[in-house]
Amino acid sequence: MEALIFIAFVIIIILLVKIKSLHRASAEKNYQYFQSLKKELEALKDNNISPASLAPITNVPVKPTDETVVQWRPIIPIEPIVETVVNPLEEKIIADQKPTVESIPAETFSDEEKASQPTSTTPYIPAPVQESWTQQWMRNNPDLEKFIGENLINKIGITVLVLGIAFFVKYAIDQDWINETGRVCIGLGCGVILVGLAHYLRNSYRSFSSVLAGGGIAVFYFTIAFAFHQYHLFSQTAAFVIMVVITIFAVLLSLLYDKLELAVIAAIGGFITPFLVSTGSGNYVILFSYLIILNIGMLALSYFKKWPAINVIALFFTVIIYGGWLGNELITSDPFLKYKNALLFATAFYLLFLAMNLVYNIRTSKPFKGFDFSILLVITFGYYAAGMLNLNCWNDGAYQGLFTIILGVVNLGLAWFFYISQKGDRNLLYLLIGLTLTFISLTAPVQLHGHSITLFWSAEFVLLYWLHQRSNIAVFKYSSFIVMALTISSLLMDWEYANEDAIVHHLPVLYRTIQGFITNLFAIIAFAVFAILLKKHNTKEKWLLGLTNLQASTIMVLVSMVIFYLTCVFGVNLYFYTNTSLVVPNTWHQLITYVFVAAMLLTIKKYQLSVNAIMQMLMITACVCFYLLSIQSSIQLRNSIIDGNVAVLFLWIHWLAAGVLLYLMFAAITIYRKNINQFSHAGNAIVWLINFVLITILSVECMHAFIYATKGVQTPGAALQQYIKAGVTIVWAVCSFAIMWLGMKYKYKTLRIVSLVVFTVALLKLFFYDIRNISEGGKIAAFIMLGVLLLIISFMYQKLKKIIIDDPAV
């Protein structure tokens, strides 16, 4: 308290000295101005110029003033300049005798001279010379002795005197010459002096006066706080009432002076008042009741003034105070009765801040801006979060869905009111409608207890972008992108949480309840709707990150399909959750993966999405790699089916997946043929790769079919050896024949070369590997099949010789 009084006292004296100095400088300036005018009048008198002699000059017609010409005005000489006083009449005569371009007849100039004459009569004004701080100071104070004697010494003397008086006051307080009551009176007196000076200077120095008034109000606050805590001169109730009166006084001053600074000080002082008079009892009812009263005052202030800073300060302190208390209550797990009261107070705060941010624009019929919408979104989402936290502790969250739909109805009622009364602008109406749709769409998922954040954000980023398209407010677009990133992060956290309590040998999953499935489905729909919004808008317009709306729409479709794919794949894991092996689930994984990629390719083709051919080939390549890596798993599945441990249905599912993969390979051929220029750098390597992949798939699947078909005749091991000896050779020969036929049909030399290479490998395998230790039936079948195919190929070459050899274009 002593330090506060000391500082306030010093500030007041310094301000008084400053004000006196300003008045003295003003008087000195007026005196010098008077002396300048007196000197000019004496000069006119010495030259014997009478008013009558000046009459002809005053009768000269006055031309309009050129704004670019610096006009004459009385000035104070800033440096000693020796001037020669010129008779104004003589100056006028000389000016009249001096020839100018305007006074000389135009006929006296030649055409070249006319062209060279200046077209503007504006005089040239040189740029001012830049002076250093030292040069400027020396120019303003040419007489150093006068500056020290009249200006510097008096300031030093007054400062020393002020410090002496302040130290005396401090010493008197330390020696108890001034008791507690006297100290409080000194503090209040300092505040009164500051406010009084502010009122006295309110017209001449408005900014300076507002600072003084703010300082006085701050002195009032802290003086009462010290009087309560340190000196116990007031009861808690009395100190609280006094501070409320101070707050009201500050608000009235801000309205009287029309100064935002005073309102800010009043708002901050009002919110820190409970802490200044707090005794640590923790009576939250009284605290929140006071906050409601204070926010009602801020609401009244918002009715008269559009000061967003006041609304932000009020919202900030209310959220900090209420949020801190609620967090502490959630940690300590006090009786749930508090949550009912907490929800009641949160509702009161929500309604107050909603009115606080709407009342001025509605009263003055001014449009809402992006900042206003941001504050409204913060208020709504903050209240929703507080309500969900309170209701989560009330009857195990049974009323969360009801609370969500009530909040949607409130926003719908506001939208209807503004629509009927025509008091709100179009953008506000869109915002309220969007909030209504969001809360209503969240009611059912929220009632299922879980994944609320992901669901809320999934609806929110779509809503924000829809509002951007309707209102063309950029902040909605950026907010939509941020909330979209939060949605993806929240979804990944949900997926990670699904495996936290899983047993080690169980299959990994992304969800384990119907809530998780609904959350994934909601996210899929959200990204799909977002893609539709992007494509319906101007597709060439820039979205974000340098992407056009069309490119962003393509990305959103892909994201939606990826989430759908993962939901289906891990849904299989959830169905076989207790299995210790991936042999059976892998069959479904392959089918889902191949169907998913096929669906993506069809979607890209149908809707002309901006996905290039290379990316499409990479998706097919991923499927081929998945198949190759799953060969061992498919062998285990086949053996388990033969042993009777797994139903034969899964083998048919495996063959169905293989059929879809073959379709993807033919799709790869189509993509390559349509976009051959994009793959020119790879030459014919892609053609060779596609053919060998097809041969591999057919070889593996024929192996499964042969071994399963002979399960009652021989063991799987014996059937496998027989297939490797003869079956693979036959399959390769048939594939070679098919490739040769395609090469001839489409006149494609590379295919014919591939066919010959495959035939060569099949023949080498037959003569150097197959004929050893092979059964007679296998030898007969292999040789007959190869012989027939060779004869057919030879006949085809002879029949089509002119096409495949003599045609130079092939």
Side-chain angles (χ1 to χ4, degrees):
M1 181 64 184
E2 291 82 358
L4 175 65
I5 295 174
F6 175 77
I7 294 171
F9 193 75
V10 170
I11 291 174
I12 290 172
I13 297 179
I14 292 176
L15 290 175
L16 290 172
V17 173
K18 182 65 177 177
I19 293 170
K20 183 178 179 182
S21 177
L22 290 174
H23 288 172
R24 181 181 299 170
S26 178
E28 182 67 21
K29 182 178 179 181
N30 293 334
Y31 176 76
Q32 292 183 1
Y33 177 60
F34 173 75
Q35 291 295 328
S36 177
L37 291 177
K38 182 179 178 181
K39 183 177 179 181
E40 292 181 6
L41 290 174
E42 289 178 351
L44 293 174
K45 183 178 179 181
D46 293 340
N47 286 276
N48 296 320
I49 299 177
S50 63
S53 62
L54 296 176
I57 300 177
T58 59
N59 292 331
V60 176
V62 180
K63 296 181 180 181
T65 303
D66 189 350
E67 296 295 337
T68 61
V69 179
V70 178
Q71 304 298 319
W72 179 89
R73 60 178 60 87
I75 60 172
I76 302 171
I78 57 176
E79 63 181 358
I81 301 175
V82 179
E83 297 181 345
T84 302
V85 180
V86 180
N87 191 322
L89 182 59
E90 296 176 354
E91 185 178 2
K92 174 63 178 177
I93 295 172
I94 295 172
D96 292 339
Q97 294 176 352
K98 184 178 180 180
T100 61
V101 175
E102 295 179 355
S103 61
I104 300 175
E107 292 78 4
T108 59
F109 291 103
S110 63
D111 294 338
E112 293 79 3
E113 291 173 336
K114 289 179 181 179
S116 63
Q117 294 301 320
T119 58
S120 175
T121 59
T122 303
Y124 170 74
I125 303 175
V129 179
Q130 296 293 333
E131 295 180 330
S132 64
W133 179 86
T134 306
Q135 293 173 339
Q136 186 178 6
W137 187 87
M138 291 299 296
R139 180 170 55 80
N140 293 331
N141 302 277
D143 192 344
L144 185 61
E145 179 182 359
K146 180 179 180 181
F147 170 76
I148 296 175
E150 296 182 359
N151 197 356
L152 186 60
I153 292 179
N154 60 1
K155 289 182 172 57
I156 295 175
I158 291 175
T159 303
V160 172
L161 177 62
V162 168
L163 290 175
I165 295 174
F167 284 125
F168 172 76
V169 174
K170 179 70 169 54
Y171 179 77
I173 292 174
D174 293 338
Q175 297 298 320
D176 287 333
W177 294 354
I178 302 176
N179 58 17
E180 289 83 355
T181 304
R183 300 170 193 176
V184 172
C185 291
I186 292 176
L188 294 176
C190 292
V192 170
I193 293 173
L194 289 173
V195 174
L197 288 174
H199 182 72
Y200 176 73
L201 300 173
R202 68 186 185 281
N203 295 324
S204 302
Y205 307 95
R206 291 183 58 82
S207 300
F208 185 61
S209 65
S210 64
V211 174
L212 291 180
I217 294 170
V219 169
F220 286 149
Y221 276 119
F222 288 103
T223 299
I224 299 301
F226 273 102
F228 169 69
H229 283 286
Q230 300 294 328
Y231 304 144
H232 307 290
L233 297 179
F234 303 111
S235 64
Q236 185 183 25
T237 304
F240 184 79
V241 171
I242 293 173
M243 288 194 174
V244 171
V245 172
I246 294 172
T247 302
I248 296 174
F249 175 69
V251 172
L252 294 177
L253 277 182
S254 66
L255 292 175
L256 178 63
Y257 295 160
D258 192 20
K259 281 296 180 180
L260 174 61
E261 296 86 348
L262 296 179
V264 170
I265 294 172
I268 295 175
F271 281 103
I272 67 174
T273 292
F275 303 99
L276 295 178
V277 299
S278 175
T279 59
S281 60
N283 193 333
Y284 74 96
V285 176
I286 295 178
L287 175 63
F288 292 159
S289 299
Y290 168 74
L291 290 180
I292 290 175
I293 296 173
L294 183 59
N295 283 317
I296 290 174
M298 298 297 106
L299 173 60
L301 184 63
S302 300
Y303 181 82
F304 296 100
K305 298 293 181 182
K306 181 61 175 179
W307 287 338
I310 301 301
N311 300 347
V312 172
I313 291 173
L315 179 62
F316 172 78
F317 278 100
T318 302
V319 169
I320 292 297
I321 296 172
Y322 180 87
W325 173 85
L326 181 60
N328 181 66
E329 293 298 316
L330 292 174
I331 293 173
T332 57
S333 300
D334 281 355
F336 79 98
L337 179 63
K338 287 188 177 181
Y339 300 121
K340 295 181 179 179
N341 295 334
L343 182 60
L344 180 63
F345 282 116
T347 303
F349 293 142
Y350 168 69
L351 296 177
L352 282 173
F353 283 112
L354 195 63
M356 192 183 303
N357 288 273
L358 294 176
V359 61
Y360 183 83
N361 292 68
I362 295 174
R363 183 179 70 85
T364 58
S365 299
K366 290 187 176 180
F368 289 83
K369 299 181 180 179
F371 179 79
D372 301 318
F373 292 129
S374 301
I375 294 297
L376 288 175
L377 290 174
V378 170
I379 293 169
T380 303
F381 299 152
Y383 173 59
Y384 183 73
M388 295 297 287
L389 288 174
N390 282 293
L391 292 172
N392 187 51
C393 303
W394 190 355
N395 198 14
D396 295 329
Y399 306 110
Q400 289 180 327
L402 179 62
F403 172 72
T404 304
I405 197 170
I406 289 176
L407 196 56
V409 171
V410 169
N411 285 276
L412 179 61
L414 288 174
W416 179 256
F417 168 76
F418 291 130
Y419 176 75
I420 294 296
S421 62
Q422 299 294 322
K423 291 185 177 180
D425 60 11
R426 179 173 55 91
N427 295 332
L428 176 63
L429 188 63
Y430 287 146
L431 175 64
L432 294 174
I433 292 174
L435 290 174
T436 300
L437 295 175
T438 299
F439 288 118
I440 291 178
S441 63
L442 282 175
T443 301
V446 165
Q447 195 63 32
L448 295 174
H449 306 291
H451 302 278
S452 303
I453 297 176
T454 306
L455 291 167
F456 187 86
W457 282 340
S458 297
E460 189 60 26
F461 79 81
V462 177
L463 167 66
L464 288 172
Y465 192 75
W466 177 78
L467 289 173
H468 161 68
Q469 289 185 334
R470 301 296 296 180
S471 62
N472 202 26
I473 298 176
V475 68
F476 285 151
K477 180 170 69 173
Y478 301 126
S479 301
S480 174
F481 176 75
I482 295 173
V483 177
M484 181 192 300
L486 293 174
T487 301
I488 296 174
S489 301
S490 179
L491 189 62
L492 294 175
M493 292 174 64
D494 292 341
W495 292 350
E496 182 182 4
Y497 177 76
N499 287 296
E500 284 189 355
D501 300 328
I503 302 175
V504 176
H505 63 272
H506 285 178
L507 299 181
V509 293
L510 298 183
Y511 54 91
R512 287 186 295 165
T513 62
I514 189 64
Q515 290 175 281
F517 175 75
I518 292 176
T519 301
N520 286 11
L521 185 61
F522 200 84
I524 293 167
I525 296 173
F527 280 99
V529 172
F530 194 83
I532 294 173
L533 292 176
L534 284 168
K535 194 167 184 181
K536 283 188 174 181
H537 206 240
N538 184 4
T539 55
K540 295 183 179 180
E541 179 182 332
K542 290 294 183 180
W543 179 60
L544 285 174
L545 305 177
L547 299 173
T548 63
N549 283 348
L550 181 60
Q551 293 172 333
S553 176
T554 302
I555 293 174
M556 297 308 144
V557 170
L558 295 178
V559 171
S560 178
M561 297 185 71
V562 167
I563 298 175
F564 177 73
Y565 165 72
L566 294 176
T567 301
C568 295
V569 168
F570 286 93
V572 173
N573 285 8
L574 182 62
Y575 184 80
F576 298 100
Y577 187 59
T578 57
N579 285 23
T580 58
S581 174
L582 277 171
V583 171
V584 174
N586 184 70
T587 305
W588 289 100
H589 293 167
Q590 290 187 64
L591 178 60
I592 292 172
T593 302
Y594 304 154
V595 171
F596 169 76
V597 173
M600 289 189 69
L601 294 177
L602 291 175
T603 303
I604 293 169
K605 181 180 179 181
K606 181 177 180 180
Y607 295 102
Q608 299 296 319
L609 300 180
S610 57
V611 179
N612 57 31
I614 296 176
M615 183 61 66
Q616 297 179 47
M617 293 292 282
L618 288 176
M619 290 190 292
I620 298 175
T621 303
C623 292
V624 172
C625 294
F626 189 12
Y627 177 84
L628 296 177
L629 293 174
S630 301
I631 290 178
Q632 185 61 36
S633 178
S634 64
I635 292 174
Q636 295 178 13
L637 174 68
R638 182 203 65 209
N639 294 336
S640 299
I641 292 172
I642 293 175
D643 295 338
N645 298 325
V646 178
V648 69
L649 172 66
F650 296 106
L651 184 60
W652 290 103
I653 294 173
H654 170 77
W655 281 332
L656 178 61
V660 179
L661 182 61
L662 289 175
Y663 166 78
L664 292 178
M665 295 307 302
F666 287 112
I669 295 172
T670 304
I671 294 171
Y672 173 76
R673 293 181 63 187
K674 289 184 177 180
N675 303 275
I676 195 169
N677 293 331
Q678 295 188 33
F679 303 99
S680 58
H681 59 280
N684 294 318
I686 295 179
V687 178
W688 285 82
L689 184 61
I690 291 175
N691 281 278
F692 282 116
V693 168
L694 286 170
I695 293 172
T696 302
I697 294 173
L698 293 174
S699 300
V700 173
E701 298 309 319
C702 288
M703 175 190 67
H704 293 324
F706 178 78
I707 294 175
Y708 179 74
T710 59
K711 65 178 181 177
V713 179
Q714 55 186 344
T715 63
L720 177 62
Q721 290 297 324
Q722 187 175 358
Y723 177 77
I724 293 175
K725 288 285 186 178
V728 172
T729 305
I730 295 173
V731 171
W732 288 358
V734 173
C735 290
S736 175
F737 172 76
I739 296 171
M740 178 61 70
W741 178 78
L742 291 172
M744 291 182 176
K745 178 179 180 181
Y746 293 104
K747 301 180 182 181
Y748 198 7
K749 184 177 180 181
T750 303
L751 288 178
R752 298 196 300 270
I753 295 174
V754 172
S755 174
L756 293 176
V757 170
V758 174
F759 260 123
T760 302
V761 174
L763 288 174
L764 292 175
K765 178 177 179 295
L766 175 64
F767 287 104
F768 291 99
Y769 180 77
D770 293 345
I771 60 176
R772 295 183 302 174
N773 300 324
I774 193 173
S775 63
E776 292 298 326
K779 290 180 181 180
I780 293 172
F783 275 88
I784 291 176
M785 181 67 70
L786 283 175
V788 171
L789 292 176
L790 286 172
L791 289 174
I792 293 174
I793 292 174
S794 176
F795 171 77
M796 293 172 64
Y797 262 91
Q798 293 295 326
K799 186 71 175 177
L800 304 175
K801 179 180 179 182
K802 293 183 178 181
I803 298 176
I804 63 176
I805 297 177
D806 299 338
D807 189 355
V810 180

